[in-house]
Amino acid sequence: MPIYLPESTQTSTESLTPRQIVAELDKHVIGQAAAKRAVAIALRNRMRRQKLPPELAEEIAPKNILMIGPTGVGKTEIARRLARLAQSPFIKVEASKYTEVGYVGRDVESMVRDLVELGVEMVRAERLEEVRGKAALNAEERLLDILLPPTRPLASDEDGITAREQQNQTRERFREQLRSGRLDARIVEIDVREKSFPSFEIIAGSSVEEVDINLKDMLPGLFQGKTRKRRMKVPEAKEFLTQEEEQKLIDMDSVSRTAVERVEQAGIIFIDEIDKIAGREGSHGPEVSREGVQRDILPIVEGTTVNTKYGMVRTDHILFIAAGAFHVSKPSDLIPELQGRFPIRVELEALGKNEFVRILTEPRSALVKQYTALMETEGIELSFTEDAIHRVADFATIVNERTENIGARRLHTVMEKLLDEISFEGPDLPDKRVRIDDAYVQKMLAEIVKNEDLSRYIL
């Protein structure tokens, strides 16, 4: 008997081959073929695992990936686009913000709790879409009850039947007026529940996250809140009542169960800056141990059960993608057990001028397209010549070589400086057609790039 991932993760990617997954990633990320290949295989293996008998599928753990490469080359973007493609719960965390157990700070289990929270929001949003139509109809009926005067009890004779028909006709006329917007100026009174909960904090053990007490569930009578009358216009009242009806129609227990299942079977956790916790301890004293953080991360990656407010969550089949620049340390500086849990290693290449030219123009949300669209909101037709784009890529490459190499992120600073005057003067420009050519780029950037000390501060 095959097993299946939650409903929304199996439809869109089930038919995608690794080659097609790479092609989808190519629309957003330039280069890095080895990394794309690795994540495409990992995603496809999830689809293959769905079709296995449960006893065998349970034994197949995801092959976690370690991405090695300098900052700004696309490590995070590849993982984020992969998660969006798979419609999977995805969270990005920094390894450096976690502390060893016994120290004040975030414990590593919180990454799983955060992922479950995100999964619940994903499933809840899907359920909202499903019940939106019914909730709108229910809200409309409640609003009509408020708008129409209360009716008297009707007798069961013929006069009663006639009166009931008249009431129905009146209600339908009001419904038509409500839908056409003719009642939008009317003010109605509706009952609004006050959200005035007492505010306090419980601290126990070494971390606030260890305490997971939902006082609203324990003492429902204390936290129900009082209702008060609030006057609002019909459109606002309709929106408010629709939201109330949506909450009534959504079964949060079902949402929680589905979210936990989706996180367990399809979740992706991206652990950035893992190189910051690599390296053997060379100093003694009361410092937070980097190896200690590694040892705490190890059981999460190996597969353990984490207690969350939505229930116990197993991490055995969550895909972990770790990334780091490894300038100072090496992957071999991680503790051996953790190294063994990241069997797939991919090295991402540093970006040069050719990649910068492609980043500026090729992706769906390329920088040139972004700035052109932004200026269009002011009525400005912004156009870039091919020479200008090559010159911008040149300057970004030069600054990366002379100062710190921050990869494609350098393009953001260069483009902001290049378009500084146009962005500021845009609304007041008499000529709404602006052409960015080689000469304009030279005028705006040449002096800054030439002066190395200045470029360190500005670019």
Side-chain angles (χ1 to χ4, degrees):
M1 176 184 167
I3 63 164
Y4 295 99
L5 290 182
E7 61 277 1
S8 75
T9 62
Q10 65 184 11
T11 51
S12 62
T13 54
E14 193 176 47
S15 58
L16 286 179
T17 65
R19 195 182 300 279
Q20 289 170 327
I21 294 167
V22 170
E24 286 295 317
L25 293 173
D26 282 339
K27 295 174 183 176
H28 305 282
V29 184
I30 297 299
Q32 313 306 356
K36 289 174 183 172
R37 187 185 179 97
V39 297
I41 292 169
L43 186 59
R44 184 65 179 183
N45 280 340
R46 283 195 159 178
M47 302 305 120
R48 291 166 178 153
R49 180 176 162 268
Q50 292 179 49
K51 300 171 184 176
L52 297 175
E55 60 274 9
L56 182 57
E58 186 63 29
E59 298 298 320
I60 297 178
K63 304 303 182 284
N64 299 322
I65 300 166
L66 178 63
M67 293 184 180
I68 304 158
T71 184
V73 296
K75 301 187 293 292
T76 307
E77 193 62 20
I78 287 172
R80 185 181 287 120
R81 295 293 176 180
L82 180 78
R84 194 171 296 176
L85 185 64
Q87 298 172 5
S88 299
F90 169 82
I91 192 168
K92 173 185 179 288
V93 298
E94 281 78 35
S96 53
K97 76 178 177 183
Y98 296 104
T99 60
E100 186 180 359
V101 170
Y103 290 87
V104 174
R106 299 205 79 189
D107 67 86
V108 294
E109 287 187 351
S110 65
M111 68 173 75
V112 180
R113 295 192 191 104
D114 292 343
L115 185 66
V116 175
E117 288 284 353
L118 195 140
V120 167
E121 280 304 309
M122 281 181 68
V123 177
R124 187 170 164 276
E126 289 166 14
R127 298 287 167 86
L128 277 175
E129 286 296 323
E130 292 170 10
V131 303
R132 187 155 284 151
K134 187 175 181 183
L137 288 175
N138 291 353
E140 189 178 78
E141 294 298 334
R142 284 178 62 186
L143 196 53
L144 288 171
D145 290 339
I146 296 168
L147 287 165
L148 289 167
T151 56
R152 293 173 300 174
L154 299 173
S156 57
D157 56 13
E158 287 187 11
D159 291 340
I161 294 171
T162 306
R164 191 176 291 112
E165 287 176 353
Q166 288 176 346
Q167 287 176 10
N168 289 339
Q169 288 172 2
T170 305
R171 192 177 182 88
E172 289 306 313
R173 281 199 299 272
F174 265 80
R175 189 191 306 278
E176 185 186 338
Q177 290 175 8
L178 179 63
R179 289 180 177 177
S180 63
R182 282 180 280 171
L183 299 177
D184 285 358
R186 291 275 292 270
I187 303 289
V188 294
E189 271 192 357
I190 61 173
D191 291 325
V192 178
R193 193 175 296 279
E194 290 181 338
K195 298 179 181 178
S196 54
F197 304 132
S199 160
F200 50 87
E201 191 176 88
I202 300 174
I203 301 178
S206 63
S207 171
V208 178
E209 289 169 330
E210 290 178 13
V211 183
D212 194 10
I213 302 171
N214 195 334
L215 290 171
K216 284 196 288 183
D217 291 342
M218 291 174 62
L219 305 168
L222 182 64
F223 291 97
Q224 278 190 356
K226 298 176 183 178
T227 58
R228 61 182 175 85
K229 295 283 187 185
R230 184 177 160 195
R231 292 169 61 82
M232 56 180 77
K233 287 190 175 182
V234 165
E236 188 184 353
K238 188 177 180 183
E239 181 66 27
F240 183 85
L241 293 173
T242 302
Q243 289 177 6
E244 271 197 356
E245 290 299 319
E246 285 172 349
Q247 301 309 320
K248 289 179 187 175
L249 290 169
I250 293 175
D251 179 4
M252 284 308 294
D253 288 336
S254 169
V255 168
S256 300
R257 286 194 301 272
T258 305
V260 167
E261 181 194 357
R262 187 174 298 183
V263 165
E264 287 182 338
Q265 301 296 335
I268 300 175
I269 295 181
F270 183 82
I271 306 175
D272 204 3
E273 297 180 1
I274 200 165
D275 56 318
K276 303 295 189 298
I277 59 167
R280 305 298 177 187
E281 300 306 312
S283 60
H284 301 282
E287 294 182 2
V288 179
S289 164
R290 288 180 295 179
E291 277 193 32
V293 179
Q294 291 182 57
R295 279 192 290 271
D296 289 347
I297 288 177
L298 180 62
I300 305 287
V301 179
E302 279 183 330
T304 188
T305 304
V306 176
N307 186 18
T308 73
K309 67 180 180 183
Y310 301 103
M312 306 300 283
V313 176
R314 293 176 58 208
T315 65
D316 301 66
H317 298 290
I318 292 175
L319 175 65
F320 289 87
I321 302 175
F326 290 99
H327 289 313
V328 179
S329 55
K330 304 181 294 297
S332 58
D333 290 333
L334 294 166
I335 60 174
E337 298 89 342
L338 194 58
Q339 288 183 50
R341 288 293 163 181
F342 289 92
I344 301 173
R345 310 263 176 96
V346 288
E347 192 162 349
L348 285 84
E349 302 160 1
L351 302 175
K353 180 193 168 182
N354 292 337
E355 288 78 21
F356 284 167
V357 170
R358 294 179 63 199
I359 289 168
L360 284 167
T361 54
E362 286 184 21
R364 283 185 175 176
S365 55
L367 278 177
V368 167
K369 296 174 187 174
Q370 290 179 26
Y371 282 104
T372 304
L374 281 173
M375 290 299 106
E376 272 179 15
T377 62
E378 302 275 4
I380 297 169
E381 291 182 31
L382 190 63
S383 61
F384 289 79
T385 66
E386 193 174 332
D387 289 345
I389 290 168
H390 279 267
R391 184 64 64 192
V392 168
D394 260 337
F395 283 149
T397 308
I398 291 167
V399 177
N400 270 348
E401 288 171 356
R402 288 182 182 172
T403 59
E404 192 70 26
N405 187 350
I406 60 171
R409 292 190 179 96
R410 184 72 67 189
L411 290 171
H412 289 272
T413 56
V414 171
M415 288 291 285
E416 276 296 320
K417 190 63 189 170
L418 173 67
L419 299 174
D420 180 74
E421 280 187 14
I422 295 168
S423 298
F424 186 80
E425 302 285 352
D428 308 315
L429 285 175
D431 185 4
K432 295 295 184 181
R433 291 187 178 184
V434 180
R435 186 167 176 266
I436 307 294
D437 55 15
D438 193 332
Y440 186 87
V441 177
Q442 286 277 13
K443 183 183 81 171
M444 295 298 294
L445 299 175
E447 279 304 314
I448 300 170
V449 173
K450 193 183 297 181
N451 188 332
E452 194 169 328
D453 290 334
L454 195 58
S455 65
R456 284 181 186 277
Y457 289 98
I458 295 177
L459 299 178

